[in-house]
Amino acid sequence: MNIETLRKMVEGSVITPDEPGYGAARLALIWNGRKPQRYPQVIVKAANVADVQYAVRYATASGMRLSVRGSGHQFSGIAVQKGVVLDLGEINHIHVDPIARIADVGPAVKNGDAAGICADYGLGFPFGHCASVSLSGYLLGGGFGWNSGQWGVACFSVESVDVVLADGNLYRASATENEEIYWAARGAGPEFFGVVTGYRLRLQPLPRAITSSVFTYPISDAARVERWMNHTMRVVPANVEFTMMQSSAPPPLAHLADKVATGIATVFADTDEEALATLSLIASLAPSGALDIQQNLPTPLETLYAIIDQFFPVGHRYAVDTNWGGPQALDFLSQLAVETAKAPSPKSFALGVVLPMEALSTPMPDAAFSMAGRAFTAVYAIWQDQAEDEANMSWVRSIARKLAPSVIGAYVGEADLDQPNRLEKSYSPEAWARIKALQDKYDPQRIFRSEQSLAGTLKPAA
């Protein structure tokens, strides 16, 4: 198949570097204002599953690598490689069966849109915290989303997937059909060896009284906040999501502190009485000395999404990394606070989450998603001027080095995949070995392997 044949067969569009719109199309593939300096030979904007199959067959026949783009939010820019970029942006169907509590969704459906449609039926799912992120990369990477302490990691609520493999054929994979593909689709992330064109999701009743309390302290009190979080998550139910945000002080508090550590406790409760009882317990354990306290705020999903979105301005430059803390991760979040205070950009921030005991004591299902710990951190460098790239990226990477003794791995959905071992360390050793074996079996030409993946698996020429 040559490029002209591909153009005739694809219902969507095919864009090559010799066309006037190529530059804009390439830049639009990545949400991050910091674009990777990689230039695809072909961009295919798929209109349907058949277009996906044609693009995969073209890449295989041409000996090119193929990268898949859902919404382009992975901060390392892995959606853009040098061969064929397959943009799934138009495959965004969603159908909810409220009786069966099942949603059939396309890969480009956004978290916020899917959550809103499901909520109309009184149903929920551990959709991602960022509304504009598509389900494709989010679910393939595992999906550490809303109410994950109670509902679990999102990929474990995926009933089945429809996948186009390197041979260009469409397969359905589930616990009883094409089980190896299903195993990998739940967490392999950028290491997955196919294109998911549809997900079947198992939904849950949506909590009707989602409520939050917010306690803001000077960042020098981060150790006290961390101890509070650790103790609290041992005594509250699994439907509590407790996050420490380390950031510049918001304008109303800027006269009191430069940087703050904010404890945000959200209860995914079914009744106001349940929410108030849990939040009252959390408040009773809070350390003294808060700069500001806002308690018992109704925070339905649309409110939670609006709060999150304000911290991720469109068009800015981003560098991000994540860490899972292991059993020895003592003072994990307070260590992070020391480094957050040094951020070169006032827009940068870090998040720390302590998981509930119930979630930690439940073994994970057997799947490619295999890396998790007692605490989780995500560091976000956010800036505007390209001249500040080195300072901000160095800040993120210095934190990874300093936290390394307490870290057992990374979360692939937001890991700094351009750094050595970050990709491999996003999985258990056993899962990583199995992923590599399945890649060899289902993608022998390596058309789905990114530069980051190949850098970690290919030996240099003698």
Side-chain angles (χ1 to χ4, degrees), residues 99-169:
I99 304 302
R101 293 181 181 170
I102 291 291
D104 288 296
V105 301
V109 173
K110 304 293 196 296
N111 280 308
D113 294 336
I117 291 172
C118 290
D120 290 341
Y121 295 96
L123 297 171
F125 183 85
F127 292 114
H129 293 87
C130 292
S132 60
V133 172
S134 70
L135 293 178
S136 55
Y138 172 70
L139 291 174
L140 276 177
F144 188 47
W146 296 118
N147 199 23
S148 58
Q150 183 178 49
W151 286 344
V153 176
C155 70
F156 297 141
S157 290
V158 173
E159 294 271 290
S160 67
V161 291
D162 295 327
V163 179
V164 176
L165 295 182
D167 61 10
N169 293 322

Coordinates of all heavy atoms in Angstrom, one line a residue, residues 99-169:
I99 N -29.4 0.0 32.7 CA -29.9 -1.2 33.3 C -28.7 -2.2 33.6 O -28.5 -2.7 34.7 CB -30.9 -1.9 32.5 CG1 -32.1 -1.0 32.1 CG2 -31.4 -3.2 33.2 CD1 -32.8 -0.4 33.3
A100 N -27.9 -2.4 32.6 CA -26.7 -3.2 32.8 C -25.5 -2.5 33.5 O -24.6 -3.2 33.9 CB -26.2 -3.8 31.4
R101 N -25.6 -1.2 33.6 CA -24.5 -0.4 34.1 C -23.3 -0.6 33.3 O -22.2 -0.9 33.9 CB -24.3 -0.7 35.6 CG -25.5 -0.3 36.5 CD -25.2 -0.6 38.0 NE -26.3 -0.2 38.8 CZ -26.4 -0.6 40.1 NH1 -25.4 -1.3 40.7 NH2 -27.4 -0.2 40.8
I102 N -23.4 -0.4 32.0 CA -22.3 -0.6 31.1 C -22.2 0.6 30.2 O -23.3 1.1 29.7 CB -22.4 -1.9 30.3 CG1 -22.3 -3.1 31.1 CG2 -21.4 -1.9 29.1 CD1 -20.8 -3.4 31.7
A103 N -21.0 1.1 29.9 CA -20.8 2.2 28.9 C -19.9 1.7 27.8 O -18.8 1.1 28.1 CB -20.2 3.4 29.6
D104 N -20.3 1.8 26.6 CA -19.5 1.6 25.4 C -18.9 2.9 24.9 O -19.7 3.8 24.6 CB -20.2 0.9 24.3 CG -20.5 -0.6 24.7 OD1 -19.6 -1.4 24.8 OD2 -21.7 -0.9 24.8
V105 N -17.6 3.1 24.9 CA -17.0 4.4 24.7 C -15.9 4.3 23.6 O -15.2 3.2 23.6 CB -16.5 5.1 25.9 CG1 -17.6 5.2 27.0 CG2 -15.3 4.3 26.5
G106 N -15.7 5.3 22.9 CA -14.6 5.4 21.9 C -13.4 5.9 22.6 O -13.5 6.5 23.7
P107 N -12.2 5.7 22.1 CA -11.0 6.1 22.8 C -10.8 7.6 23.0 O -10.1 8.0 23.9 CB -9.9 5.5 21.8 CG -10.5 5.4 20.5 CD -12.0 5.1 20.8
A108 N -11.4 8.4 22.1 CA -11.2 9.9 22.2 C -12.2 10.6 23.1 O -12.1 11.8 23.2 CB -11.2 10.5 20.8
V109 N -13.1 9.8 23.7 CA -14.0 10.5 24.7 C -13.2 11.0 25.8 O -12.3 10.4 26.4 CB -15.1 9.4 25.2 CG1 -15.9 10.0 26.3 CG2 -15.9 9.0 24.0
K110 N -13.6 12.3 26.2 CA -12.9 12.9 27.3 C -13.4 12.5 28.7 O -14.6 12.2 28.8 CB -13.0 14.4 27.2 CG -12.5 15.0 25.8 CD -11.0 14.8 25.7 CE -10.4 15.7 24.6 NZ -10.9 15.4 23.2
N111 N -12.6 12.5 29.7 CA -13.0 12.1 31.0 C -14.2 12.9 31.5 O -15.2 12.4 32.0 CB -11.9 12.3 32.0 CG -10.8 11.2 32.0 OD1 -11.2 10.1 32.1 ND2 -9.6 11.6 31.9
G112 N -14.2 14.2 31.3 CA -15.2 15.1 31.8 C -16.5 14.8 31.1 O -17.6 14.8 31.7
D113 N -16.5 14.6 29.7 CA -17.7 14.3 29.0 C -18.3 13.0 29.4 O -19.5 12.9 29.6 CB -17.4 14.3 27.5 CG -17.0 15.7 27.0 OD1 -17.3 16.7 27.6 OD2 -16.3 15.8 25.9
A114 N -17.5 12.0 29.5 CA -17.9 10.7 29.9 C -18.6 10.7 31.3 O -19.6 10.1 31.5 CB -16.8 9.6 29.8
A115 N -17.9 11.4 32.2 CA -18.4 11.5 33.6 C -19.8 12.2 33.6 O -20.7 11.7 34.3 CB -17.4 12.2 34.5
G116 N -19.9 13.2 32.8 CA -21.2 13.9 32.8 C -22.3 13.1 32.2 O -23.4 13.1 32.7
I117 N -22.1 12.4 31.1 CA -23.1 11.6 30.5 C -23.5 10.4 31.5 O -24.7 10.1 31.6 CB -22.6 11.0 29.2 CG1 -22.5 12.2 28.2 CG2 -23.6 10.0 28.6 CD1 -21.9 11.8 26.8
C118 N -22.5 9.8 32.1 CA -22.8 8.7 33.0 C -23.6 9.3 34.2 O -24.5 8.6 34.7 CB -21.6 8.0 33.5 SG -20.8 7.0 32.2
A119 N -23.2 10.5 34.7 CA -23.9 11.1 35.8 C -25.4 11.3 35.5 O -26.2 11.3 36.4 CB -23.2 12.4 36.2
D120 N -25.7 11.6 34.3 CA -27.1 11.8 33.9 C -28.0 10.6 34.2 O -29.2 10.7 34.4 CB -27.2 12.1 32.4 CG -26.7 13.5 32.1 OD1 -26.6 14.4 33.0 OD2 -26.4 13.8 30.9
Y121 N -27.3 9.4 34.2 CA -28.0 8.2 34.6 C -27.8 7.7 36.0 O -28.2 6.6 36.4 CB -27.5 7.0 33.6 CG -27.8 7.2 32.2 CD1 -26.9 7.8 31.3 CD2 -29.0 6.8 31.7 CE1 -27.2 8.0 30.0 CE2 -29.3 7.0 30.3 CZ -28.4 7.6 29.5 OH -28.7 7.8 28.1
G122 N -27.2 8.6 36.8 CA -26.9 8.3 38.2 C -25.8 7.3 38.3 O -25.7 6.6 39.4
L123 N -24.9 7.2 37.4 CA -23.8 6.2 37.4 C -22.4 6.9 37.3 O -22.3 8.0 36.9 CB -24.0 5.3 36.2 CG -25.2 4.5 36.1 CD1 -25.4 3.7 34.8 CD2 -25.3 3.5 37.3
G124 N -21.4 6.2 37.9 CA -20.1 6.7 37.9 C -19.1 5.7 37.5 O -19.4 4.5 37.4
F125 N -17.8 6.2 37.5 CA -16.7 5.4 37.1 C -15.5 6.1 37.6 O -15.5 7.3 37.7 CB -16.7 5.2 35.5 CG -15.6 4.3 35.0 CD1 -15.7 3.0 34.9 CD2 -14.4 4.9 34.5 CE1 -14.7 2.1 34.4 CE2 -13.4 4.1 34.0 CZ -13.6 2.7 34.0
P126 N -14.3 5.4 37.8 CA -13.1 6.2 38.3 C -12.5 6.9 37.1 O -11.3 6.6 36.7 CB -12.2 5.1 38.8 CG -12.7 3.8 38.2 CD -14.2 4.0 38.0
F127 N -13.2 7.8 36.5 CA -12.7 8.6 35.4 C -11.5 9.5 35.9 O -11.5 9.8 37.1 CB -13.8 9.5 34.8 CG -14.8 8.8 34.0 CD1 -16.1 8.7 34.5 CD2 -14.5 8.1 32.9 CE1 -17.1 8.1 33.8 CE2 -15.5 7.4 32.2 CZ -16.8 7.4 32.6
G128 N -10.7 9.9 35.0 CA -9.5 10.7 35.4 C -9.9 12.1 36.0 O -10.9 12.6 35.7
H129 N -8.9 12.6 36.7 CA -9.2 13.9 37.4 C -9.2 15.1 36.4 O -9.7 16.2 36.8 CB -8.1 14.2 38.5 CG -8.2 13.2 39.6 ND1 -7.6 12.0 39.6 CD2 -8.8 13.3 40.8 CE1 -7.8 11.4 40.8 NE2 -8.6 12.1 41.5
C130 N -8.5 15.0 35.3 CA -8.5 16.1 34.3 C -9.6 15.8 33.2 O -9.5 14.8 32.5 CB -7.1 16.2 33.7 SG -5.9 16.7 34.8
A131 N -10.5 16.8 33.1 CA -11.7 16.6 32.2 C -11.3 16.5 30.8 O -11.9 15.7 30.0 CB -12.6 17.8 32.4
S132 N -10.2 17.1 30.3 CA -9.9 17.2 28.9 C -9.0 16.0 28.4 O -8.7 15.9 27.2 CB -9.2 18.5 28.6 OG -8.0 18.6 29.3
V133 N -8.6 15.2 29.3 CA -7.8 14.0 28.9 C -8.7 12.9 28.4 O -9.8 12.6 28.9 CB -7.1 13.4 30.1 CG1 -6.4 12.1 29.8 CG2 -6.0 14.5 30.6
S134 N -8.3 12.3 27.2 CA -9.2 11.3 26.6 C -9.0 9.9 27.4 O -8.0 9.7 28.0 CB -8.8 11.1 25.2 OG -7.6 10.5 25.0
L135 N -10.0 9.0 27.2 CA -9.9 7.8 27.8 C -8.8 6.8 27.3 O -8.4 5.9 28.0 CB -11.3 7.1 27.7 CG -12.4 7.7 28.5 CD1 -13.7 7.0 28.2 CD2 -12.1 7.8 30.0
S136 N -8.4 7.0 26.1 CA -7.5 6.1 25.4 C -6.2 5.9 26.3 O -5.9 4.9 26.8 CB -7.1 6.6 24.0 OG -6.7 7.9 24.0
G137 N -5.4 7.0 26.4 CA -4.2 6.9 27.2 C -4.4 6.7 28.6 O -3.7 6.0 29.3
Y138 N -5.5 7.3 29.2 CA -5.8 7.2 30.6 C -6.1 5.7 31.0 O -5.5 5.2 31.9 CB -7.1 8.1 30.9 CG -7.6 7.9 32.3 CD1 -6.9 8.3 33.4 CD2 -8.8 7.2 32.5 CE1 -7.3 8.1 34.7 CE2 -9.3 7.0 33.8 CZ -8.5 7.5 34.9 OH -9.0 7.3 36.2
L139 N -6.9 5.0 30.2 CA -7.3 3.7 30.6 C -6.1 2.7 30.3 O -5.8 1.8 31.0 CB -8.5 3.2 29.9 CG -9.8 3.9 30.3 CD1 -11.0 3.5 29.4 CD2 -10.1 3.5 31.8
L140 N -5.4 2.9 29.2 CA -4.3 2.1 28.8 C -3.2 2.1 29.9 O -2.5 1.2 30.2 CB -3.7 2.4 27.5 CG -4.4 1.8 26.2 CD1 -3.8 2.3 25.0 CD2 -4.4 0.3 26.3
G141 N -3.0 3.3 30.5 CA -2.0 3.5 31.5 C -2.4 3.0 32.9 O -1.6 3.0 33.8
G142 N -3.7 2.6 33.0 CA -4.2 2.1 34.3 C -5.4 2.9 34.8 O -6.5 2.4 34.9
G143 N -5.1 4.2 35.0 CA -6.2 5.1 35.4 C -6.4 5.3 36.8 O -7.2 4.6 37.5
F144 N -5.7 6.2 37.4 CA -5.8 6.5 38.9 C -6.7 7.7 39.0 O -6.2 8.9 39.0 CB -4.3 6.8 39.4 CG -4.2 6.9 40.9 CD1 -4.7 6.0 41.7 CD2 -3.4 7.9 41.4 CE1 -4.6 6.1 43.1 CE2 -3.2 8.1 42.7 CZ -3.8 7.1 43.6
G145 N -8.0 7.5 39.1 CA -9.0 8.5 39.0 C -9.8 8.8 40.3 O -9.5 8.4 41.4
W146 N -11.0 9.4 40.0 CA -11.9 9.7 41.1 C -12.3 8.5 41.9 O -12.7 7.5 41.3 CB -13.1 10.5 40.6 CG -12.9 11.8 40.0 CD1 -13.1 12.1 38.7 CD2 -12.3 13.0 40.6 NE1 -12.8 13.4 38.4 CE2 -12.3 14.0 39.6 CE3 -11.9 13.3 41.9 CZ2 -11.8 15.3 39.9 CZ3 -11.4 14.5 42.1 CH2 -11.3 15.5 41.1
N147 N -12.3 8.6 43.2 CA -12.8 7.6 44.1 C -12.1 6.2 43.9 O -12.7 5.2 44.1 CB -14.3 7.4 44.0 CG -14.9 6.7 45.2 OD1 -14.4 6.7 46.3 ND2 -16.1 6.1 45.0
S148 N -10.9 6.3 43.5 CA -10.2 5.0 43.2 C -9.9 4.2 44.4 O -9.7 3.0 44.3 CB -8.8 5.3 42.5 OG -8.0 6.1 43.3
G149 N -10.0 4.8 45.6 CA -9.8 4.0 46.8 C -11.0 3.0 47.0 O -10.8 1.9 47.4
Q150 N -12.2 3.4 46.6 CA -13.3 2.5 46.7 C -13.6 1.8 45.4 O -13.9 0.6 45.4 CB -14.6 3.3 47.0 CG -15.8 2.5 47.2 CD -17.0 3.3 47.6 OE1 -17.3 4.4 47.0 NE2 -17.7 2.9 48.7
W151 N -13.5 2.5 44.3 CA -13.8 1.9 43.0 C -12.6 1.1 42.3 O -12.8 0.4 41.4 CB -14.3 2.9 42.0 CG -15.7 3.4 42.3 CD1 -16.6 2.8 43.1 CD2 -16.3 4.6 41.8 NE1 -17.8 3.6 43.1 CE2 -17.6 4.7 42.4 CE3 -15.9 5.7 41.0 CZ2 -18.5 5.7 42.1 CZ3 -16.7 6.7 40.7 CH2 -18.0 6.7 41.3
G152 N -11.4 1.4 42.8 CA -10.2 0.8 42.2 C -9.7 1.5 41.1 O -10.2 2.5 40.6
V153 N -8.5 1.1 40.6 CA -7.9 1.6 39.4 C -8.8 1.4 38.2 O -9.4 0.3 38.0 CB -6.5 1.0 39.2 CG1 -5.9 1.4 37.9 CG2 -5.6 1.2 40.4
A154 N -8.9 2.4 37.3 CA -9.9 2.4 36.3 C -9.9 1.2 35.3 O -10.9 0.6 35.0 CB -9.9 3.7 35.5
C155 N -8.7 0.8 35.0 CA -8.5 -0.3 34.0 C -9.1 -1.6 34.5 O -9.5 -2.5 33.7 CB -7.1 -0.5 33.6 SG -6.0 -1.2 34.8
F156 N -9.2 -1.8 35.8 CA -9.8 -3.0 36.4 C -11.3 -3.0 36.3 O -11.9 -4.1 36.6 CB -9.4 -3.2 37.8 CG -7.9 -3.3 38.0 CD1 -7.2 -2.8 39.0 CD2 -7.1 -4.1 37.1 CE1 -5.8 -2.9 39.2 CE2 -5.8 -4.2 37.2 CZ -5.1 -3.6 38.2
S157 N -11.9 -1.9 35.8 CA -13.4 -1.9 35.6 C -13.6 -1.9 34.0 O -14.7 -1.5 33.6 CB -14.0 -0.7 36.2 OG -14.0 -0.8 37.6
V158 N -12.6 -2.2 33.3 CA -12.8 -2.4 31.8 C -13.2 -3.9 31.5 O -12.5 -4.8 31.8 CB -11.5 -2.1 31.0 CG1 -11.7 -2.4 29.6 CG2 -11.2 -0.6 31.2
E159 N -14.4 -4.0 31.0 CA -14.9 -5.4 30.7 C -14.3 -6.0 29.5 O -14.1 -7.2 29.4 CB -16.5 -5.3 30.6 CG -17.2 -4.9 31.8 CD -17.5 -6.1 32.7 OE1 -18.4 -6.9 32.3 OE2 -16.9 -6.3 33.8
S160 N -14.1 -5.2 28.5 CA -13.5 -5.7 27.2 C -13.0 -4.5 26.4 O -13.4 -3.3 26.7 CB -14.6 -6.5 26.4 OG -15.6 -5.6 25.9
V161 N -12.2 -4.8 25.4 CA -11.7 -3.8 24.5 C -11.7 -4.3 23.1 O -11.6 -5.5 22.9 CB -10.2 -3.4 24.9 CG1 -10.1 -2.7 26.2 CG2 -9.3 -4.7 24.9
D162 N -11.9 -3.4 22.1 CA -11.8 -3.7 20.7 C -10.5 -3.2 20.3 O -10.2 -2.0 20.5 CB -12.9 -3.1 19.9 CG -14.3 -3.7 20.3 OD1 -14.3 -4.9 20.6 OD2 -15.3 -3.0 20.3
V163 N -9.7 -4.0 19.6 CA -8.3 -3.7 19.4 C -7.9 -4.0 17.9 O -8.2 -5.1 17.4 CB -7.3 -4.5 20.3 CG1 -5.9 -4.1 20.0 CG2 -7.6 -4.2 21.8
V164 N -7.2 -3.1 17.2 CA -6.6 -3.4 16.0 C -5.1 -3.7 16.2 O -4.4 -2.9 16.8 CB -6.7 -2.2 15.0 CG1 -6.0 -2.5 13.7 CG2 -8.2 -1.9 14.7
L165 N -4.7 -4.9 15.8 CA -3.3 -5.3 16.0 C -2.5 -5.0 14.8 O -3.0 -4.5 13.8 CB -3.3 -6.8 16.4 CG -3.9 -7.2 17.7 CD1 -3.7 -8.7 17.9 CD2 -3.3 -6.5 18.9
A166 N -1.2 -5.4 14.9 CA -0.3 -5.0 13.8 C -0.6 -5.7 12.5 O -0.2 -5.2 11.4 CB 1.1 -5.4 14.2
D167 N -1.4 -6.7 12.5 CA -1.9 -7.4 11.2 C -3.0 -6.6 10.6 O -3.5 -7.0 9.5 CB -2.2 -8.8 11.4 CG -3.4 -9.0 12.4 OD1 -4.0 -8.1 12.8 OD2 -3.6 -10.2 12.8
G168 N -3.5 -5.6 11.2 CA -4.6 -4.8 10.7 C -6.0 -5.3 10.9 O -7.0 -4.7 10.5
N169 N -6.1 -6.4 11.7 CA -7.4 -7.0 12.0 C -7.9 -6.5 13.3 O -7.1 -6.1 14.2 CB -7.3 -8.5 12.0 CG -7.0 -9.1 10.6 OD1 -7.5 -8.6 9.6 ND2 -6.1 -10.1 10.5

